[in-house]
Amino acid sequence: MDTEEDMPRPDELRDGTVAEVNALRDLLSQIGDPDAAHDAGVLDDDEYVERKARKLAYTSALAAYANGEVPDLPALLEQMREQASQPTQTETNTANIDYLLMTVGGDQ
């Protein structure tokens, strides 16, 4: 027979969630701004993608917890690694403009 001491307290689940949220906030604050660090030349491309992915994943996980959901952080991190490794719209536009200038010529 289960006694009251054997049954988990309702607050234990909430306490675990609060601890996870606090840990994610702490990790997020340690990442800083990967875009600025990369632009300054402090991070190479691989480290930039990893930090950017972690920042996106932790931010998404915090949003999920705020909505009462429990995120799958490893799956979320893998998804964000893929997203962070894709070129930004600015990079794509710059590459397209460079290509046009190269093929058409920019001094006309």
Side-chain angles (χ1 to χ4, degrees):
M1 179 169 154
D2 288 336
T3 64
E4 216 176 292
E5 294 173 0
D6 294 335
M7 298 178 67
R9 298 179 332 185
D11 287 342
E12 285 179 358
L13 180 60
R14 188 182 70 77
D15 292 345
T17 301
V18 169
E20 181 74 16
V21 166
N22 288 338
L24 286 171
R25 286 185 179 142
D26 184 46
L27 289 170
L28 194 56
S29 71
Q30 293 175 23
I31 291 174
D33 186 356
D35 293 319
H38 185 255
D39 291 343
V42 176
L43 298 177
D44 65 13
D45 291 341
D46 292 336
E47 184 64 22
Y48 166 73
V49 168
E50 183 61 26
R51 286 194 187 185
K52 182 75 171 184
R54 287 184 182 278
K55 185 171 185 172
L56 292 170
Y58 298 161
T59 303
S60 296
L62 286 172
Y65 278 123
N67 290 331
E69 303 166 6
V70 178
D72 180 2
L73 195 55
L76 192 55
L77 185 56
E78 189 59 37
Q79 178 185 356
M80 293 305 168
R81 279 185 183 121
E82 188 175 313
Q83 181 179 335
S85 66
Q86 299 298 318
T88 65
Q89 188 63 47
T90 302
E91 291 169 336
T92 302
N93 291 346
T94 301
N96 289 342
I97 290 168
D98 289 345
Y99 177 75
L100 285 171
L101 289 174
M102 185 176 65
T103 56
V104 177
D107 297 329
Q108 294 180 355

